[in-house]
Amino acid sequence: MLHLTIEGREVEARGGCSILQAYVQAGETLVEGVGCMGQGVCGSCRVMVRLSGEKEVRTALACETLVQEGMQVAFLDYFTEATRHTYDLEDIGDSWQVLRTITDVFPEAPHCRHCSGCDRACPKDLEVQRGVNLAVEGKLAEASHVFDECVMCNLCTLACPESIRPNHLGLFVRRIVASQALRPANLMLRLRQVENGEMTIDFDAPGARPPA
Amino acid sequence: MPAGIPYEEARTRYQVGGQPRMRADDASVAELLRAWHPDHGAGARVALAVGVNRGEPCQPDLARHLQANALIDDVDIAGAQLTTTDVLVIGGGGGGCAAALTAAGEGARVILATKLRLGDSNTVMAEGGIQAAIGDDDSPQRHFEDTLRAGHFRGEPELVARMVMEGPDVIRWLIRLGMMFDQEEGQLMGGNLLRKKPGGATAARILSYRDYTGLEMMRVLREAVDLAPGIEVWNRCAAVELLSDERGRCAGAVLYNMEWRSFVLVRARAVVLATGGAGRLHLNAFPTSNHYGATADGLVLAYRLGARMRDLDSFQYHPTGIAHPPHLAGALISEAARSAGAKLLNGEGERFIDELQPRDVVASAILRECAQGRGIARDGQLGVLLDIPTLERENPGILAKRLVTVRHLAHKCGIDATQEPFLVYPTLHYQNGGAEVDVHGATAVPGLFCAGEVTGGIHGRNRLMGNALLDILSMGRRAGAKAASRDGAVPAIRAGIGHVHAWQRELTAAGLPLDARAPLLFPDYAHFDLQADAGLGSGAHARVVGGLR
């Protein structure tokens, strides 16, 4: 059995299990800071972890981090931000002005200090800072791909001294790209066919009935 | 658990790029399902003793929850804070967000209450994609027929027809909200959306974003809800009971605010339940791919208020859950892997089923291999092999480009996905049945709407990959719009939990115990007890609440 500390409690755990599993197997209540329980996509189980004998504290997702002997773990609460970057995609009229739109909505984004705190905070190892800088330069497609696998855990937002909220900036850029530019031919054609009444459902077609 | 072939022995029969033969088999699909699917067999169902579906079959573990007493009584909510809204949406996944966005778009005041946080749901975990018939070799009619056939012709044609006809418009709605989709080539304007073929379908109809479509969808929907001025989001507020008026209408809900440890009464003109399914009840002791909050809450609450249910004995066991390592048991390997051509192999090194058959057929075939001793045993876990390495060899780069989460999962399993196959076993994935609804998501209880996995009828008795995401959005939008309309809505004069008293009398008359309570809210291993947490009753025997709550 391994011995570790989670939320100040001494916990015993078998090797090979995640922090979340160790916590519930130790009989503790777990109804917050939990979501997908292992897939690593919901971004709920944010923790700070210090390994035995190390000074440095790193951030991680508890469902994806396996227990180690002597590990210390503290969960990070979600907080509600006092200010947020609000926008309505419908209001983005002239896409030639998209650079201005980005800095209007995220006025802190050009002030990136290049401290790389966001990069170190990201449990998915995304190049967050690069994504922020690309967005400010207008390289929207490239910026959007940086945030492809972002799970919106908000750890980069917690880490940013300029309050840029990098993950929300990344999502904003992604949403702009899709809503302004993605116009798939096969979808547009099918929509027209449906709207023209060319596509209807025959409830009595042979394939709509059970085989005899 | 039956014995299997030791992993080391099975591994010697496997080689990357091998061309395994298919084991001869003359069993029909019907025989395979009847003999091996968990929905069949002696212990698969009991007759419900109370409620509108009395006498009808239900999965036994679920029946215990449906036939339980309420979590609260009048005295517990006396003096509770009261608030009002036009539409109360319960559930923070894709269906709830679609309903809330649509209702708010119609001008309604909306409260969206969710047990964990906005977005914590099965939607965010969906990998494969969403169905919409947009190919030139495809049509809504084909989508309609495929859905009915996969559901063994037990789905409601009216509901299915509405869903498939709306498919293309749902995709446009998502793009307008800023969701990205994979394309055949890189061009955004005028290119084609990439289509993949789901098991059980006659055309390539799955639209996706990599193999984390649900993540891409949910982060867009969550942001849209969060920024919508007409929607208040109440995180960490679990629904513990619905409110009814003197005419039996739904008049809102009792929520338990986990942070304040207190009850809040929300009176609403209409309630939309989008609470998802029952995977975390671990029915039939199966592992599950489901989110932590999937504890059948909406099914329990709707049934107690008198909503009619259907197909409560029909569940989907996804064929490819992880079997090894044990701590990841139940985690899903997306159907995208089989869709792309990955094969299943038993311990003899043989294929034993066409991998692109519907999920219930493939899952049954795996259960049969394991039960008949051709499964593979490793560290107390039993399963069959999913051959990803050969797929990668035949399609170099597919793991890096299309099956990103499969590669991540292999990493978590401690295997090299280009060399080692996964050990897989079916995992409890989806509740096929649920509340009966019309095309607007309306239940038989006035004022109560349902959307998504909590409903039954669209998927019949088996669901196609990619139809869940389309279901939650098309039905969620319609339920939200209808709930926001004032059609026939007369504000309740009084709202309370009178239906609970009638329910308790019914339980007593049926000889059922009053001390079994539901909904569960969290899985057993969460160590959460509402009675203790809220200080209800004496609470003296309850465990001191600690940990993360």
Side-chain angles (χ1 to χ4, degrees), chain B residues 43-55:
Chain B
R45 52 183 55 76
V46 293
L48 288 171
V50 291
V52 291
N53 290 78
R54 184 169 33 189

Side-chain angles (χ1 to χ4, degrees), chain B residues 98-117:
Chain B
L101 286 167
T102 317
E106 301 278 325
R109 290 175 304 149
V110 178
I111 291 175
L112 188 155
T114 178
K115 186 164 59 180
L116 288 144
R117 289 179 314 140

Side-chain angles (χ1 to χ4, degrees), chain A residues 16 21 38 44 148 150 185 202, chain B residues 117 141 177 191 209 219 327 412:
Chain A
Q21 286 170 328
S44 291
D148 257 351
C150 171
D202 176 4
Chain B
R117 289 179 314 140
Q141 179 73 24
L177 286 171
Y209 190 72
R219 61 190 169 198
H327 78 273
K412 281 193 244 178

Side-chain angles (χ1 to χ4, degrees), chain A residues 11-209:
Chain A
V11 169
E12 280 200 339
R14 285 192 297 274
C17 71
S18 71
I19 292 170
L20 285 188
Q21 286 170 328
Y23 202 55
V24 294
Q25 281 160 15
E28 296 290 340
T29 298
L30 180 68
V31 296
E32 187 190 9
V34 58
C36 66
M37 195 75 188
Q39 198 174 318
V41 291
C42 78
S44 291
C45 56
R46 314 179 311 167
V47 285
M48 291 194 293
V49 174
R50 175 189 274 148
L51 300 182
S52 177
E54 287 187 10
K55 269 185 6 192
E56 196 177 345
V57 173
R58 66 188 177 89
T59 49
L61 296 180
C63 75
E64 292 197 299
T65 307
L66 299 186
V67 293
Q68 291 183 34
E69 178 64 34
M71 182 185 249
Q72 290 172 280
V73 181
F75 279 78
L76 284 163
D77 281 348
Y78 263 85
F79 63 97
T80 310
E81 311 78 20
T83 56
R84 18 211 315 194
H85 301 88
T86 56
Y87 59 88
D88 185 342
L89 282 183
E90 304 277 324
D91 294 344
I92 301 170
D94 180 2
S95 49
W96 283 97
Q97 300 298 324
V98 70
L99 265 186
R100 178 181 297 167
T101 307
I102 289 171
T103 47
D104 280 352
V105 178
F106 287 81
E108 307 88 354
H111 305 158
C112 171
R113 295 186 194 175
H114 304 275
C115 69
S116 73
C118 51
D119 291 351
R120 277 175 280 132
C122 180
K124 298 290 180 185
D125 293 327
L126 307 183
E127 296 176 283
V128 183
Q129 180 179 299
R130 186 172 147 261
V132 169
N133 301 154
L134 286 168
V136 173
E137 291 166 24
K139 294 175 178 165
L140 303 191
E142 217 180 327
S144 74
H145 283 306
V146 170
F147 295 95
D148 257 351
E149 295 177 44
C150 171
V151 298
M152 301 300 285
C153 68
N154 275 348
L155 283 169
C156 56
T157 284
L158 266 179
C160 180
E162 290 288 349
S163 303
I164 293 173
R165 307 193 77 204
N167 56 326
H168 292 272
L169 171 61
L171 182 55
F172 181 48
V173 170
R174 294 180 65 85
R175 295 182 70 192
I176 290 175
V177 170
S179 64
Q180 297 269 322
L182 183 57
R183 296 291 178 270
N186 49 4
L187 176 62
M188 290 191 293
L189 178 63
R190 181 51 42 88
L191 280 164
R192 200 179 66 186
Q193 291 168 330
V194 169
E195 283 153 15
N196 287 347
E198 292 170 49
M199 293 275 163
T200 53
I201 299 295
D202 176 4
F203 285 79
D204 298 317
R209 286 189 305 240

Side-chain angles (χ1 to χ4, degrees), chain A residues 186-187 190-191 194, chain B residues 129-144 146-147 163-172 174 181 193-196 198 201 203-208 464-471 473:
Chain A
N186 49 4
L187 176 62
R190 181 51 42 88
L191 280 164
V194 169
Chain B
I130 177 167
Q131 287 210 26
I134 64 165
D136 53 10
D137 58 349
D138 196 9
S139 66
Q141 179 73 24
R142 287 182 85 125
H143 190 176
F144 175 71
D146 287 348
T147 301
M163 180 182 81
V164 301
M165 285 298 285
E166 284 175 1
D169 186 55
V170 163
I171 304 302
R172 173 168 58 188
L174 288 168
F181 286 90
L193 292 183
L194 181 71
R195 298 182 292 129
K196 301 176 202 166
R205 194 181 298 132
I206 292 284
L207 312 180
S208 57
L464 286 178
M465 165 193 188
N467 265 351
L469 290 184
L470 180 56
D471 172 11
L473 299 181

